[in-house]
Amino acid sequence: MTIVRQAARAEASPAPAPAPGRTRPRSKDLRIALLFIAPAFLGFVAFYLVPTIRGIYLSFTRYNLFGDPKWIGLKNYTDIFKDKLFWNSLWVTLEYVVLNIGFQTVIALVLAVLMHRVAKSTLVRGVLLLPYLIANVVVAMVWFWMLDYQIGIVNQLIDWLGLPRIAFFGDQAWAIPTIAFVNVWRHMGYTALLIFAGLQAIPGHIYEVAALDGASAWKTFWRITMPLLRPVLVLVMVVTVIGSFQVFDTVAVTTGGGPINATRVIQMYIYQRAFAESDFGYASALSVILFIILGIVAFLQMKFLRGNESDLS
Amino acid sequence: MATTLSTRPRARTAPRRRKPINWGRVGSWTVLAFFILLTVVPFLWMIRTALSSNHSLAANSSNLLPADFSWGALKRVFGLQSQQDALAEGGSGAAVNFLLYLRNSLIVSTLITVAQVFFSSLAAYAFARLQWPGRDKVFSIFLGTLLVPPIFTALPNFLLIKNLGLLNTLLGIALPTMLMTPFAIFFLRQFFLGMSREVEEAAMLDGAKHLRIFFQIVLPNAVGPLATLGLLTFIAAWNDYFWPLLVGQTEASRVLTVGLGVFKSQSPQGAPDWSGLMAATLIAALPILILFLAFGKKVVNSIGFSGIK
């Protein structure tokens, strides 16, 4: 939504665009435009539009990949409502999102402010961004090894400190926090860079005025930086929360949903229902529910954090 | 968008320089150094383990240098080691051929990148510069797909690829993102909107057609943004796991990320082949590390609001 709005704003700004209040675009280029747009349009219809409609349709059917989908109305949804595994997956996912987003946002904010104030070099930013460019699967493997119970370096360190070893991926209580940590590690630099870009957009003269008034760095941060940064922070939160809800790769290659059900996040559950149990209708209904949850979460964040209003004007 | 971000002047208040020791700065750098270390150490540990021999890892688990240096793990994952040697060095003995997965990943990522950037640039141009009825409405609908979570379209797309007979083919893995992604179109449209119209208009007066203008004037002027988008697209395609996991299950159609998962699941349970696993991980990460060393600045500067996917 926000991106659409940004696009609209960007469209209004470049000088060569026709003046506001212009008439409808003339259709002089219609034929060439159709040619230019044709491949993308095909891709849009075949891989976005039709699948979206088909996904909604499938959620009202029973379908095991063989034969035709059989219409069963709302049965999948009523079943899901009573499905303990679904509620578990929702709870586990929520636990993951809270831990992941909580730590990630605070660390990224600190890093962004530090990059902005003391280390403006591209090298520092580059190094911190690096984990984000590496595949989830790769990152998961490296940490799976470093956090190994027997000979992982982290447990060696814990041992050396005289503390009891931790079964990071094997302990039900530790599994989700561990996976959340791994993904905080991967995303903190990227998130910091997004916030950093927002910090750069705050005009320098505002800080100069604050400095003249003798405001402390602490006060400047809370009274000036944070309020002006709010729209960016909200945007970052919306995007990262939505991404966080769809955690899959890390879980799939480390715990596979275990131990017991401790890390069976919602996308893992959808995957297992669809491909391990060939229950495509049920899995589609789960996806619809996830879609709705994401929509509500994004809407609430925008509404309550007032992400679409800027204090900078 | 990306270009505007990188060229934005950086007029900031200059930090005070007089004080002998600025404890705030020392503290700031300490925190930064900690996070830089936290970022770098796992990479070093990955390389260190990949160059160790697996049996020596347990005895030297906290030694920072490779334990009993060996190329064995790398040979093993490239399928260059005999089964006996592999078993003797702690591998599973199952056939693994990361050379093939590497090739597959390269083909899929290249195919996606070239096709997606090209087709998206065509569409972006039509959205930015051509005049046709319904243009802005169609664009908003395209952008609306950004809101649909990938998992939601993944199941129906799997059925489509299956119906097309493309399951377990590289084309089947690449196809859904070859024609467009909303992000690619958005990204390029932003650039085209900000481009000066003068040259195009001059060419138009000379009687040049849109097709010629696009290929001879617009594209050459957009090399920078096209390269940035290409880089981001390649990295995303290279790192993708969920979709190739659904569509590329056979040995012949496995990409690196999927191969890595299979390799891990085949590793002996009691005593995993850590060296082999880290060698495979290194192979999967290396091309990105190389791209990053070559074009890191471009990537870093492209992360702004337009970088949100």
Side-chain angles (χ1 to χ4, degrees):
Chain A
M1 277 166 292
T2 328
I3 296 173
V4 179
R5 206 173 302 118
Q6 275 188 337
R9 218 181 302 138
E11 190 183 26
S13 55
R22 66 194 146 133
T23 52
R24 269 168 272 128
R26 287 158 298 152
S27 49
K28 70 178 171 87
D29 302 329
L30 183 59
R31 284 173 68 182
I32 188 81
L34 286 179
L35 180 74
F36 271 50
I37 212 104
F41 195 74
L42 179 70
F44 166 72
V45 172
F47 296 108
Y48 290 91
L49 184 63
V50 172
T52 302
I53 297 165
R54 198 175 179 189
I56 295 170
Y57 164 72
L58 283 175
S59 74
F60 297 107
T61 67
R62 175 166 296 135
Y63 185 40
N64 63 2
L65 288 180
F66 301 102
D68 291 320
K70 184 168 162 266
W71 184 270
I72 54 167
L74 288 171
K75 177 124 191 354
N76 284 330
Y77 291 95
T78 50
D79 284 355
I80 287 171
F81 198 70
K82 288 177 282 186
D83 182 352
K84 283 209 178 97
L85 278 178
F86 163 72
W87 290 109
N88 172 68
S89 73
L90 200 60
W91 179 245
V92 167
T93 310
L94 215 60
E95 192 192 342
Y96 167 82
V97 171
V98 168
L99 286 173
N100 178 238
I101 296 300
F103 282 102
Q104 182 174 299
T105 311
V106 172
I107 292 174
L109 190 61
V110 170
L111 285 177
V113 171
L114 292 182
M115 284 193 253
H116 188 63
R117 288 179 67 96
V118 294
K120 287 202 174 143
S121 84
T122 315
L123 184 69
V124 170
R125 278 185 278 155
V127 169
L128 289 171
L129 178 68
L130 191 56
Y132 179 73
L133 303 176
I134 303 296
N136 271 320
V137 177
V138 168
V139 168
M141 294 293 182
V142 173
W143 280 104
F144 192 69
W145 157 227
M146 295 190 26
L147 297 174
D148 179 62
Y149 185 76
Q150 301 289 341
I151 53 172
I153 183 71
V154 176
N155 266 319
Q156 297 294 325
L157 214 64
I158 291 174
D159 210 26
W160 181 72
L161 291 172
L163 298 167
R165 290 170 177 262
I166 298 168
F168 286 101
F169 288 101
D171 186 317
Q172 282 195 59
W174 274 100
I176 278 289
T178 303
I179 290 168
F181 160 78
V182 170
N183 285 333
V184 166
W185 181 81
R186 181 168 180 263
H187 288 262
M188 62 191 184
Y190 173 68
T191 315
L193 244 77
L194 291 175
I195 299 173
F196 174 79
L199 285 175
Q200 283 195 310
I202 299 174
H205 65 80
I206 299 185
Y207 290 113
E208 280 160 33
V209 172
L212 282 179
D213 288 350
S216 65
W218 185 251
K219 215 167 180 179
T220 311
F221 177 76
W222 286 107
R223 296 278 173 82
I224 296 176
T225 311
M226 280 305 272
L228 292 179
L229 195 61
R230 204 198 58 227
V232 173
L233 266 181
V234 173
L235 192 62
V236 168
M237 291 274 281
V238 170
V239 174
T240 51
V241 166
I242 288 179
S244 190
F245 262 100
Q246 299 175 65
V247 59
F248 175 82
D249 300 2
T250 317
V251 176
V253 297
T254 56
T255 64
I260 312 178
N261 293 321
T263 60
R264 184 169 291 136
V265 291
I266 191 152
Q267 187 156 332
M268 193 71 210
Y269 188 45
I270 295 173
Y271 170 76
Q272 288 173 340
R273 275 319 269 241
F275 293 94
E277 298 173 35
S278 290
D279 205 346
F280 255 64
Y282 198 85
S284 299
L286 286 169
S287 321
V288 171
I289 290 174
L290 176 60
F291 192 4
I292 294 171
I293 291 172
L294 293 182
I296 294 172
V297 168
F299 174 79
L300 290 180
Q301 282 181 301
M302 292 307 281
K303 195 172 158 69
F304 286 107
L305 301 172
R306 293 181 300 134
N308 47 357
E309 295 161 35
S310 174
D311 296 334
L312 191 68
S313 53
Chain B
M1 199 62 176
T3 38
T4 45
L5 271 179
S6 59
T7 53
R8 180 171 290 143
R10 292 187 190 158
R12 296 283 147 237
T13 47
R16 287 158 292 168
R17 296 243 164 86
R18 282 286 176 82
K19 286 185 182 174
I21 300 176
N22 186 336
W23 289 108
R25 273 184 93 79
V26 173
S28 300
W29 273 106
T30 311
V31 175
L32 261 182
F34 169 76
F35 279 103
I36 290 171
L37 212 63
L38 183 67
T39 302
V40 173
V41 164
F43 287 100
L44 298 179
W45 204 245
M46 165 174 83
I47 296 168
R48 176 256 182 203
T49 310
L51 298 176
S52 298
S53 72
N54 199 47
H55 289 313
S56 308
L57 282 174
N60 302 287
S61 51
S62 47
N63 190 339
L64 295 184
L65 291 170
D68 196 2
F69 182 89
S70 151
W71 295 107
L74 277 165
K75 281 191 192 152
R76 187 151 68 245
V77 294
F78 274 131
L80 298 173
Q81 209 172 33
S82 74
Q83 199 183 3
Q84 282 157 332
D85 284 354
L87 282 171
E89 291 189 18
S92 70
V96 275
N97 191 351
F98 271 83
L99 212 54
L100 175 69
Y101 308 155
L102 188 67
R103 188 205 67 154
N104 287 347
S105 271
L106 269 176
I107 293 176
V108 168
S109 306
T110 310
L111 205 60
I112 291 176
T113 305
V114 173
Q116 187 194 111
V117 170
F118 177 67
F119 291 131
S120 297
S121 70
L122 283 174
Y125 184 72
F127 283 127
R129 284 301 167 83
L130 299 178
Q131 312 266 315
W132 47 287
R135 182 184 69 177
D136 297 346
K137 274 198 191 107
V138 175
F139 180 67
S140 332
I141 296 171
F142 266 43
L143 268 192
T145 54
L146 275 174
L147 302 176
V148 182
I151 174 75
F152 190 75
T153 45
L155 299 184
N157 275 338
F158 171 82
L159 296 175
L160 177 63
I161 294 296
K162 187 168 175 275
N163 294 344
L164 290 172
L166 291 174
L167 269 195
N168 299 320
T169 64
L170 297 184
L171 184 63
I173 300 175
L175 198 58
T177 39
M178 273 172 67
L179 294 171
M180 67 91 92
T181 62
F183 172 75
I185 293 181
F186 171 74
F187 183 93
L188 289 175
R189 177 177 171 272
Q190 289 297 96
F191 175 77
F192 290 148
L193 281 175
M195 232 166 96
S196 153
R197 270 172 192 262
E198 285 167 22
V199 189
E200 286 167 73
E201 274 163 6
M204 199 92 81
L205 287 179
D206 287 346
K209 291 277 180 272
H210 275 295
L211 219 53
R212 236 189 85 199
I213 294 178
F214 180 74
F215 283 104
Q216 294 191 345
I217 297 170
V218 176
L219 281 193
N221 271 308
V223 169
L226 288 174
T228 304
L229 178 65
L231 212 57
L232 295 176
T233 308
F234 188 90
I235 292 173
W238 186 270
N239 291 344
D240 198 13
Y241 177 70
F242 187 60
W243 178 248
L245 177 70
L246 305 186
V247 181
Q249 282 285 7
T250 56
E251 171 81 6
S253 64
R254 231 169 245 161
V255 296
L256 273 172
T257 47
V258 179
L260 207 52
V262 172
F263 185 81
K264 192 209 150 219
S265 63
Q266 283 175 346
S267 195
Q269 278 299 312
D273 178 13
W274 292 118
S275 296
L277 192 64
M278 286 304 108
T281 305
L282 180 61
I283 294 165
L286 206 56
I288 301 294
L289 292 175
I290 292 170
L291 274 181
F292 182 74
L293 283 178
F295 305 109
K297 208 165 182 176
K298 219 178 183 67
V299 180
V300 171
N301 287 331
S302 74
I303 309 288
F305 302 106
S306 65
I308 294 177
K309 279 188 142 176

